[in-house]
Amino acid sequence: MKNFVVKTIANAGALAVAIWLLQDITLTGDDTGPKVLTLIVVALLFGLINSVVKPVVQLLTLPLFILTLGLVTLVVNALMLMLTSWLAGVFDLSFHVDGFWTAVLGGLIISVVSWALNVVLPDND
């Protein structure tokens, strides 16, 4: 259970950094409290998508992964971020990613920050 909480916090932190760095990834709201709650819900949604959908997409793109020496991972991460944005819109959350190239850069930022936070945060159960 503790590992799930740590990964959710790392995802929320990584999403917050991407929102802060890129103007085309937006999280709108009036107060800090609702923004933080929305960010946590989006982090949960992002984690769910990464644990369910991403492995299937990676398996289907395995030949491209081998052919591009792993660079297709940037595209897969961008697609997962865009899917999170679309689902956030379906669930009426105020999170939006505007454009594919923004999603590519955002996916790169989220991957690096999430990795760094997972190194720093404890992950024992």
Side-chain angles (χ1 to χ4, degrees), residues 28-122:
T28 56
D30 296 332
D31 293 331
T32 304
K35 279 185 170 181
V36 169
L37 183 62
T38 301
L39 186 63
I40 291 172
V41 172
V42 169
L44 286 169
L45 188 62
F46 186 65
L48 182 67
I49 288 170
N50 277 335
S51 65
V52 175
V53 178
K54 189 174 182 178
V56 174
V57 173
Q58 284 179 328
L59 183 64
L60 293 174
T61 60
L62 187 60
L64 286 174
F65 181 82
I66 294 168
L67 185 66
T68 64
L69 301 176
L71 288 178
V72 76
T73 304
L74 292 172
V75 174
V76 171
N77 287 342
L79 292 175
M80 297 304 109
L81 188 58
M82 290 181 74
L83 181 59
T84 302
S85 174
W86 178 76
L87 282 175
V90 168
F91 292 122
D92 201 29
L93 299 171
S94 59
F95 175 77
H96 182 68
V97 178
D98 188 29
F100 175 76
W101 292 109
T102 301
V104 170
L105 190 54
L108 183 63
I109 291 168
I110 290 169
S111 295
V112 170
V113 172
S114 181
W115 170 80
L117 288 177
N118 279 317
V119 167
V120 173
L121 295 173

Side-chain angles (χ1 to χ4, degrees), residues 14-38:
L15 284 165
V17 170
I19 291 167
W20 180 63
L21 289 175
L22 302 173
Q23 68 182 18
D24 288 336
I25 299 178
T26 56
L27 179 71
T28 56
D30 296 332
D31 293 331
T32 304
K35 279 185 170 181
V36 169
L37 183 62
T38 301

